[in-house]
Structure formats: structure tokens, C-alpha cells
Amino acid sequence: MGATLRSLIGLVAALLLGGIGLLPCAAPARAADEEGTRPIPLAAIDHPGDVDFEQEILPLLRDNCLACHNRTRAKADLILETPADILRGGESGLAVVPGKAGESLLLQAAAHQAKPSMPPKDNKVSATDLSGEQLALLRLWIDQGAKGEVRSHAPLRWVAPAPEVRPIYAVALTPDGRYAAAGRGNRLDVYDVPLARHAQSLTDPALSRTGLYGTGGAAHRGMVESLAFSPDGILLASGSFGEVKLWRRQPTAPPLELTDPSPGKAPDALIVAVAAGGNWAAVARAGLPVDLFDASTGKWTKSVDGSTSPARAIAFSPDGTRLAVASVDGGLRISGVAEGQLIGQTAAPSPVTTLAWLQNGTRLAAAGPDGVIRVYSVPHVRGEPCAIPLELKAHRGAITMLAAPPSGGDLYSGGEDGTVRRWSVAGGQVTREFKQGGPITALAVRPDGKAIASAGPHTPARLWDADKGSVIAEVGVGVAARRELARCQRAGKLAAADVAYFGSMLEKSQAEQKAADERLKAASDAKAPADVKAADARAARDRAAAAKAEAEQPPATVSTTQPVDPQTKARIEAADKALTQANAQLAVAALAASNADNEFRLARHALEESNVELARAKSSLAAAQDRSKAATEAATSAQRLAAEPSAVELAFSGDGTTFIARCDNGTIDLFSADAGLPLETLPTPSRPAVNRIACVGQTLILADDQKVCGMTLGADRWSLERTIGAADGPSPLEDRVTAVAFSPDGRLLATGAGEPSRSGQIKLWDVATGRPAREIKDAHSDAVLSLAFSPDGALLASGAADRFAKVFDAATGQLVHSFEGHSDHVTGVSWKPDRRTLATCGADGQVKFWDVVSGERKANVGGFVKEVDAIAYLGLTDQVVAAAGDGQVRIFNEAGATVRSVPTSGDFFHAVAMTPDGHLMALGGESGVLSLWREPFTSAPLSFRPE
């Protein structure tokens, strides 16, 4: 079931528990209404004490009346949820007269004593008449004064879901694409995407202690309905019935600092080399013995015999029982780790700068500036010689690196000539060559021997297939810097698009302002002569009126009873005619003046508005230009940082899943060892810079000029940090939390919930404290199913079961737009990165695009057989991906043209998530399979099935 289908079930359940509510009517009691419904006789009941409204009356109303008479849908303005609501009455007056049940319309309608009787005959929700006993109880409650209150929610009895109930209703991706999360039933799984493995099942310790959910535990009591990662990928929010939980990502283990056996030494006692084997870490210092540390605890254990000159290279045997040390003075020594005593030594014929153990520790390879690999036999007991049975002229120029897998069957050498060569030690022959293209300064072999990594100062780090000799991936070191660069470049593109957009708006505003100015000038030019003409016409009318009055005035010598002589009569008629003409001319002139004045006022108002729009356009353009400048500067800085580092040391983790690159700027980057996908840049101190790395199993040893520390590699761990609301008992979150969204700055968390068919709730929470920040009152009239902040965080979009998509001002909660067009639940919303377009999808099988600036619909896309449950924009494009219940996953643009269809398995899809760069997509549905697709979303996905 998708969000829409689940909401529909909730609605049906609510309706099945409700009925058509009561409408008060002032009609007198009667034997039967016009439809032939007869009054229901009230039974005699024996009820000691007061009737409890919450326990005895409210269930009757909930079953038969509240579907229509609630705060969301109050037919006839009548609400029956509490005694206080009931006593307020509705359109027809009081529903209940306390102490007088016989005069109360509520009882009359329910007992079919008044018209209309309730519930109506043949109602659509199968509501039935109250029984005589129920009516008698209602009568008693009213006669007792209609008192009471609603104090608490009914207790819930939770049961563990069946094992096969594992649909995915929500998925989420961290912005960097490192982690994916999927809710399966009431479980929550997190996956390490580059390493292609399950990282952790998140469990609430309190639920684990109940024993209800078995040894695996659970994240929530109810189904996981919604998920969202914070912008920094550190927090994961999960929504369920009545609650939201925040889970925090933390390193697997804190850094481990190796204790210094010789504190307070002079600054020239510097660490010069680090090597690892077994569970030991070895540190060689100038003029001091080689110190051994327990890599699991960081404690110094012992020292082994070293030399009087600094060590140039050290290496443990594969089993960790012996340690080889090559010194500046040319000495090559092999010591036993357990006893710390020298087993054998020799003087190398040429300086040794790199070592590698071979053939399960029976041979030791050494090389240096002369380009020759010398393979020594390793003494088994103290005093045996270190012979040289094999010399290989390996490279033109110096050999900079040697490496071998633990089994030691092959040997890899890297030189200044820019090549890496694989040698068969037994045959002394080159079996594979890898062309790096520049001097080799770093080389490592994966523990299984199937891949190697190489790097140089002027060439990228490369991951190679050891058998085929082909490049698996070119690895860009400086992971954090490169991600920041990509983010800055996206911001720059958006800012440039804003500059172009607001530039065109400014041109439009300037043209409109010019037209308005010209209009006002024309209106002003027309108004003055029109006013003059009107004044002249008014004066002419006044003169004509005076002339007529004079003509009508008889001379003083003439009696008023005498008839008017013809001459006077003619004079009066002429004056009257002149006045009529003057009035007509005045009417024409006055109308013209009025029209001119009206046009002048309209033109002046239009000019004022155009001036405001022009100022707004100038301000918006200036702001966009400032953002573009800042984005350009940030991108330039990020470009410089991303281009600076190169890998100078490489290592693989003990389990072979991760390879590590130390950069020349002291940073440490992690990559997947099978595909070279970036994982992260480790948080290491910038001063002093790390100058050596090595791996002891899953412990990464880091050394600088002052200290040595260890860090455990592997997927980070997630732990429950906070719960907002409660699945049991009263909660500020109504019913299921079907939508969660973090603000772009990560400070706010928006939650969408609501009781099906009754309310739609949107609340914002302070992430740092978990306290309420604000609530958007009366956001929707039905459950909120989707939420999304605009990219700048200024707006919040929502979609709900009431068939509306809405846009609110995130700071004030004020409604900005209400988009009406879907004929069923709005299940998903997604912002285009420029925040000027909103995409919505719904249970009507439609996808719609809305212009957020004008509030108009831009386009409509159909073609889905079932509900479209999820939608997401692809990076900075005008394309969206939509996932539907009919198994379709389609990518199309805002014009409605299909770009491609993702070749899925045909699941009933409920959820989709996309990284900001549009390169990684997560899909989940009824089957419980999480599918991860990489751009262009055509090859087979990485899939994780329910465990």
C-alpha cells in the first residue's frame, strides 16, 4: 500500500467507526416521519451513579455521529466531540438542554422523534440506529446535566508485525550518497552505498527490552511512514504513529592515541615510519629502538632491537611474528616480535627504502635507488644468515615502492619510471605491467590480491584489476574538497540561472515601467484639455441657464396673468434650446474629463506599481548577482583546494573493503576497494600533518611528527538521540507521521500528520532541542502526506489527502499558494532547485507542475495506471522521476515528455529519494526491496532484500 492507499484505509476505518452525524431540527416529536421511520422506544436502565461521558457517551457518538460533526467537518456548525462542544449547539440552536432530555434535539433525532432522524436511512457508512438501552443512557446523561470531559486517548495494544510484513513506505539518502535508509514495517535499515553492504538495523533500546520484537528489536512500534536525512547527513529522522525519532551518526570508535614510552624527548626524536602486521603497530624513531604498540588498546608493549641510525623502512611479516627494519646505515635487521630480540641481520649492498614480505614470510624483498629488487631468505632461528638467492633488475631508475598480498605469491614494484610491475617470485619474471604515467610514490595490494592501488605526484591515484591490468577507477583524492567543489558549482549554476531570470524580469519591469510612464504622460496630456473643455462647457451651460432664466422672467410692467406674447415665447424657446445644447455639450465634455481623470489615476497607479516591481526586480537581481559572485568565489576557492592534494601513501583495510589514501596536505581519504567510490575524508588534525599511515586489520594507524593514533574503519554507527511525541498515550503528533523534512540549514524539522478525513497537521521542531518551534494552523483538512522545504528554506510545500498542494511561508506559516487540481490524495511534492517550480504527484495517477511565482499550473502528466506515490527532481535539470503503484518509474521533463523509463522489477512503489547532484536514486516498495540506481539509471541496480 502507498501513502494514498494507507490514508484511504485510514479514512475507511474512520468511516466504518462513524456515521452520518446529527443535524438539530426544531420539528416537534411525532409518531413517524415522512419516510415512515418510527420512534425508537427507550429502555428502562438501572445505572448507579453518574454517566461517564468519555467512557460511555463518547463511544456512541464516535460510532454514529463524529464522522460529520467534528472540528474539521462540522455539519450545521454542530460539533459533538466534547460536552462543551455539544452545549454550544449548531445552526438550529441548542442540541442539548441540560437536565431536560425530553427537550433536547440530540435525543429527539437519535430516537427518531424529530425530523430528520439520525442516522439517515441507507447512509453510506453503514451507521445503525442507537438501541433503546443506548438511548436511555443518553437520556440519563442529559438529565444529569450533560457534564463530563475528554481526558485521555484510548489505550493502544501493540503487537509485533508478522515477519512477512516488510513493505518499504519511506527511503532516504544522505546528500553525499554515502548512506541509504529504508523503513521496512517497523524496522529501519541503514546501508553503506559505496561499500554495497548493510550497515545497521536501527533499534530503540526501550522497545528491545519489551521482548515483543524478538532479538532483532525494532525502531518503532508502528510502521515507519517517513524518513529524512539532515543536510549534513549526521541525523536521520523517522516518522511513525504518534512520534518522530532522531538517530545520530557517530564514528564506530573514538580515535585511539598510542602511549609514548619516552615522553619529553627532544623535538629531533621524530616518527619516521609506521608499519603494521598482526595486531601490532611499530614506530621507528631517530636514534631509538623500534617501539611496538598493541593496536587495539594503543598501549606501548615493548621495543625491538633497532639500529644506531634512523630507520628508512619497516615491515611486519604476514603473521605478525617478525619485524624487518632497514636503516640509513645500510643495515637490514629481522627481529622476533614476541621476544623483541634480533634474529638475523645483513648489510645491504645498496640503500634500502622499501620492504615487502613474500611467500608467507619465508622471503623478504628489499629495493631502493639502484632499481634492483633483492630477495633475501629469512632465518628461522637466531644467527642464521640472510642470503640473497634472487636479484631482479626491475626498473630504470629507482624503485620507490614494494608491496605484496599476505599470501606473498606475487610481488609488486613501483618505480620512478612510471610503471608498476607484478613479479612471479618463483620464476623471477614480470607477469603484468601497469602504466601509471609518472613516478610511483604510493603502492598497495588488496588483501585478496585481486586489486592494487597506485599513485604519483603528477598522476591521479588509480585502482587496478590485478589480473587484467585494467583501471577499475581513477580516484580523486580530497573527497571532502571535491564534494564541496561540486556543491559550490551547483550553487553557482543556480545563482547564474537566477541572474538570468531576474535580469529578464528587470528588463520586463523596465519595459512595463516605461510603458506606464508613457501612459501617465499621455493621460496627463489628455486630462488638461479635457478639463478645460469641461470647464468651458460648464460655463457655457451656466450662461445658457442664465439666459433662459432671464428670458423666462417677465418685465415688471407686465402682469403675470397676461398671456406671453409670441416674441417672448420665441425668445424663451431659443434660450431653452440653447440650454439643452449646452447641457448635452457639458455631458460630453464632463464624460471625457471623467474618463481622462480616471485614466490618469489608473495610469498613475500603474506607474506606482511598476516602480515597485522595478525596485523589486532590481533588488532581486542585485541579490542574485551577489549570490553569483559569492558562489563563484566559493567555487574558485574549492577548486583550488580540490586541485591541490595528491596521494602520497596508500593502504587497504584488513577486510579488503576500503582503501585509504594519505594526501600530501595531510588529509586522509577513504574509498571503496572494489569500485573506487569515495567514502569520506577522515577528520584529522590539520597541524601537524599526518605523514604516515598503515592498517592493522580494521584499525588505521595515523602518525605525525608528534604522536601516533589509531582509528577504527568501517561503517559508522547510528544511535537513538531523541523521540518527539509518543506512540503510547497522548502525543503532540496526530496519528501517523507520514512526512518529515529538514530545513536546508538543518535547524528545523517539519512533520506532517493528521487524523484521516478530519485534520491535517504541520508542525516545525527545533532540531537541537526537540522542542516545538511553530505550528501551521489548519494547514489541511485531511492527513498531510508529503512535505518539502524550498532550496532556500523560505517556503514549505505540502501535499495532503484533501487533494490540495499548498505552499506556506516557513517563517510565519502564512499561506502563499493553494494548488487545486488533483482529484485524489496529493502523495508527493518536490521543488525544482530554482524554487520557482513545484512538482506534485497524486493517487489520481497524475503528475503536475506548478509555477510558484504566478500560482498557475504549468503542465499535467498522466499515463500511470495506479497512484503515483513519490516524485523527485533530478539535480539541476527540469526532469523529475516519478514512482507509481503500477510498477512504472518514469523520468520526464516539465513539458511532459518522457526522457526514459527505469527498467524496474515492477514493484508497487511507494518511495523515491534522490541525491542533490541527481546521480543516485533510491526506490522502495511493497516487496521490501531497496534498489539503488546510478545515473543514467539504465544498468542493473544495487538491491537489498529484507533480511
Side-chain angles (χ1 to χ4, degrees):
M1 293 182 295
T4 300
L5 191 55
R6 287 177 277 133
S7 294
L8 181 59
I9 288 177
L11 172 60
V12 171
L15 291 177
L16 289 178
L17 291 176
I20 304 300
L22 297 171
L23 290 174
C25 180
R30 51 188 169 72
D33 62 20
E34 296 175 358
E35 298 177 356
T37 303
R38 298 184 178 278
I40 302 172
L42 277 64
I45 61 170
D46 181 13
H47 188 286
D50 293 336
V51 178
D52 187 308
F53 176 83
E54 184 178 21
Q55 299 298 323
E56 298 178 275
I57 301 301
L58 184 58
L60 305 181
L61 301 178
R62 185 181 292 121
D63 291 347
N64 294 275
C65 310
L66 293 190
C68 292
H69 295 286
N70 56 69
R71 287 185 176 85
T72 301
R73 185 186 182 192
K75 279 194 173 182
D77 290 335
L78 179 62
I79 301 173
L80 302 178
E81 294 186 343
T82 68
D85 294 329
I86 295 171
L87 292 175
R88 277 193 292 269
E91 288 180 355
S92 299
L94 296 178
V96 164
V97 180
K100 299 180 180 180
E103 299 177 14
S104 299
L105 297 178
L106 179 63
L107 179 63
Q108 293 175 7
H112 299 182
Q113 297 172 354
K115 180 183 178 181
S117 58
M118 291 293 157
K121 185 179 180 182
D122 299 326
N123 63 78
K124 297 180 180 180
V125 292
S126 302
T128 59
D129 297 335
L130 297 185
S131 67
E133 289 76 11
Q134 291 171 328
L135 290 169
L137 187 65
L138 179 61
R139 177 179 61 186
L140 179 59
W141 174 71
I142 297 174
D143 284 338
Q144 289 178 348
K147 300 176 182 179
E149 60 180 342
V150 178
R151 296 175 295 273
S152 64
H153 294 278
L156 298 174
R157 189 177 73 86
W158 292 97
V159 296
E164 61 271 14
V165 179
R166 290 290 182 265
I168 295 177
Y169 291 152
V171 297
L173 289 167
T174 54
D176 61 4
R178 174 69 192 276
Y179 291 100
R184 290 190 178 95
N186 65 345
R187 290 185 55 187
L188 180 52
D189 292 310
V190 176
Y191 297 89
D192 190 318
V193 178
L195 295 182
R197 67 186 182 189
H198 180 266
Q200 187 180 351
S201 292
L202 308 191
T203 58
D204 183 340
L207 297 183
S208 298
R209 288 192 292 269
T210 66
L212 183 63
Y213 304 102
T215 56
H220 291 272
R221 287 189 179 275
M223 306 288 265
V224 177
E225 304 278 354
S226 51
L227 290 172
F229 280 106
S230 59
D232 59 7
I234 299 300
L235 289 176
L236 173 63
S238 59
S240 185
F241 184 88
E243 65 184 13
V244 169
K245 294 183 179 180
L246 292 177
W247 312 82
R248 180 170 290 275
R249 170 186 171 188
Q250 298 174 330
T252 303
L256 181 72
E257 187 166 341
L258 277 65
T259 57
D260 190 344
S262 306
K265 289 294 181 180
D268 61 348
L270 305 178
I271 297 170
V272 296
V274 176
N279 199 42
W280 301 101
V283 178
R285 304 182 185 223
L288 293 174
V290 177
D291 293 319
L292 296 183
F293 297 85
D294 186 320
S296 62
T297 64
K299 293 182 178 180
W300 176 84
T301 303
K302 65 185 70 176
S303 297
V304 299
D305 291 339
S307 65
T308 57
S309 64
R312 279 182 168 170
I314 57 179
F316 279 102
S317 62
D319 60 4
T321 61
R322 285 158 294 169
L323 180 68
V325 180
S327 304
V328 172
D329 62 3
L332 180 61
R333 296 170 173 83
I334 299 175
S335 301
V337 172
E339 65 280 5
Q341 295 182 348
L342 184 68
I343 296 176
Q345 62 180 332
T346 188
S350 178
V352 175
T353 57
T354 179
L355 297 168
W357 289 82
L358 304 173
Q359 296 177 336
N360 294 315
T362 61
R363 296 286 187 270
L364 178 67
D370 64 355
V372 177
I373 300 174
R374 295 176 176 85
V375 180
Y376 293 82
S377 61
V378 177
H380 294 284
V381 295
R382 187 175 181 180
E384 288 185 359
C386 297
I388 307 176
L390 181 64
E391 287 191 353
L392 304 172
K393 181 61 179 176
H395 294 267
R396 297 186 307 274
I399 297 175
T400 55
M401 297 297 299
L402 292 177
S407 62
D410 293 317
L411 173 66
Y412 292 87
S413 63
E416 287 184 343
D417 59 5
T419 63
V420 174
R421 291 172 178 165
R422 184 177 70 184
W423 299 84
S424 170
V425 177
Q429 297 176 337
V430 175
T431 59
R432 181 71 65 187
E433 185 172 276
F434 309 83
K435 296 183 181 295
Q436 179 71 18
I440 307 298
T441 56
L443 181 65
V445 182
R446 202 165 72 187
D448 62 4
K450 294 182 179 180
I452 67 169
S454 62
H458 306 297
T459 55
R462 291 188 174 96
L463 183 67
W464 304 83
D465 185 301
D467 293 327
K468 297 179 181 178
S470 57
V471 176
I472 298 173
E474 285 195 353
V475 177
V477 296
V479 172
R482 288 175 180 272
R483 285 174 175 163
E484 178 62 13
L485 173 61
R487 188 195 67 79
C488 290
Q489 289 174 335
R490 290 197 301 272
K493 289 180 180 179
L494 279 175
D498 279 349
V499 169
Y501 173 80
F502 289 114
S504 66
M505 291 297 101
L506 177 59
E507 292 179 358
K508 181 181 177 182
S509 296
Q510 288 172 332
E512 291 176 348
Q513 193 268 352
K514 181 180 179 182
D517 187 60
E518 292 174 349
R519 178 185 176 185
L520 179 60
K521 185 178 183 303
S524 179
D525 291 344
K527 183 177 184 300
D531 288 343
V532 171
K533 288 182 179 181
D536 290 345
R538 187 172 293 103
R541 190 278 313 272
D542 291 345
R543 289 194 297 273
K548 179 183 178 184
E550 183 181 353
E552 292 177 335
Q553 184 67 35
T557 59
V558 179
S559 171
T560 56
T561 60
Q562 293 179 353
V564 179
D565 63 85
Q567 186 176 2
T568 300
K569 183 178 181 180
R571 193 166 57 250
I572 292 173
E573 290 176 352
D576 185 65
K577 182 177 181 182
L579 179 60
T580 300
Q581 291 176 344
N583 280 328
Q585 292 172 352
L586 176 59
V588 172
L591 177 62
S594 176
N595 288 341
D597 183 66
N598 187 54
E599 170 62 13
F600 177 78
R601 286 186 287 103
L602 291 175
R604 184 172 58 188
H605 181 68
L607 180 60
E608 291 172 352
E609 286 190 335
S610 67
N611 285 333
V612 171
E613 290 300 320
L614 180 60
R616 184 181 292 115
K618 288 181 178 178
S619 176
S620 297
L621 178 59
Q625 289 171 333
D626 289 343
R627 291 196 301 273
S628 180
K629 180 180 178 181
T632 300
E633 292 174 351
T636 300
S637 176
Q639 178 72 57
R640 184 170 57 254
L641 292 174
E644 283 179 356
S646 59
V648 294
E649 196 171 4
L650 300 172
F652 283 90
S653 62
D655 63 2
T657 63
T658 307
F659 87 83
I660 306 101
R662 178 175 70 84
C663 304
D664 54 7
N665 63 357
T667 60
I668 309 295
D669 291 324
L670 305 184
F671 302 86
S672 68
D674 60 346
L677 297 173
L679 300 179
E680 61 181 311
T681 295
L682 292 180
T684 58
S686 57
R687 290 292 182 271
V690 172
N691 54 30
R692 291 291 187 273
I693 64 171
C695 267
V696 182
Q698 290 301 102
T699 300
L700 174 64
I701 305 299
L702 308 173
D704 58 36
D705 289 344
Q706 296 180 4
K707 63 181 180 298
V708 182
C709 65
M711 299 182 71
T712 302
L713 298 177
D716 293 335
R717 307 300 294 174
W718 300 78
S719 60
L720 180 61
E721 178 173 89
R722 179 178 294 111
T723 298
I724 300 173
D728 294 312
S731 173
L733 296 167
E734 297 177 354
D735 209 88
R736 295 166 300 147
V737 181
T738 47
V740 290
F742 281 96
S743 60
D745 61 7
R747 295 181 179 179
L748 293 175
L749 176 70
T751 59
E755 294 186 55
S757 80
R758 297 186 61 186
S759 65
Q761 181 193 66
I762 297 178
K763 288 191 173 185
L764 282 78
W765 307 84
D766 183 279
V767 173
T769 64
R771 296 174 181 172
R774 68 185 64 93
E775 180 177 1
I776 299 178
K777 297 288 188 180
D778 303 319
H780 289 271
S781 62
D782 208 335
V784 175
L785 304 178
S786 53
L787 289 172
F789 279 95
S790 61
D792 60 0
L795 302 174
L796 178 64
S798 61
D802 61 3
R803 301 180 294 181
F804 281 91
K806 295 184 179 182
V807 175
F808 300 93
D809 184 297
T812 65
Q814 183 178 357
L815 180 65
V816 178
H817 290 299
S818 182
F819 297 127
E820 183 178 8
H822 284 283
S823 60
D824 210 325
H825 299 10
V826 179
T827 54
V829 294
S830 180
W831 287 92
K832 190 175 182 180
D834 65 8
R835 69 150 267 180
R836 291 186 283 274
T837 302
L838 181 72
T840 63
C841 62
D844 54 3
Q846 301 287 312
V847 170
K848 300 180 187 295
F849 296 95
W850 307 89
D851 188 320
V852 181
V853 178
S854 66
E856 301 294 327
R857 186 171 67 187
K858 296 175 63 175
N860 185 76
V861 181
F864 294 94
V865 178
K866 294 183 180 179
E867 61 183 277
V868 185
D869 248 358
I871 192 166
Y873 265 96
L874 274 67
L876 301 183
T877 71
D878 67 344
Q879 299 173 11
V880 296
V881 57
D886 59 6
Q888 291 190 71
V889 177
R890 290 165 49 193
I891 298 174
F892 45 83
N893 57 31
E894 293 172 2
T898 298
V899 176
R900 71 177 69 90
S901 293
V902 180
T904 66
S905 59
D907 198 355
F908 192 116
F909 290 108
H910 300 307
V912 66
M914 185 72 61
T915 52
D917 59 11
H919 294 165
L920 180 65
M921 174 175 64
L923 286 168
E926 196 66 26
S927 68
V929 175
L930 173 66
S931 300
L932 300 171
W933 299 76
R934 293 195 179 275
E935 192 183 24
F937 316 116
T938 54
S939 58
L942 175 64
S943 297
F944 296 100
R945 297 186 176 277
E947 295 183 355

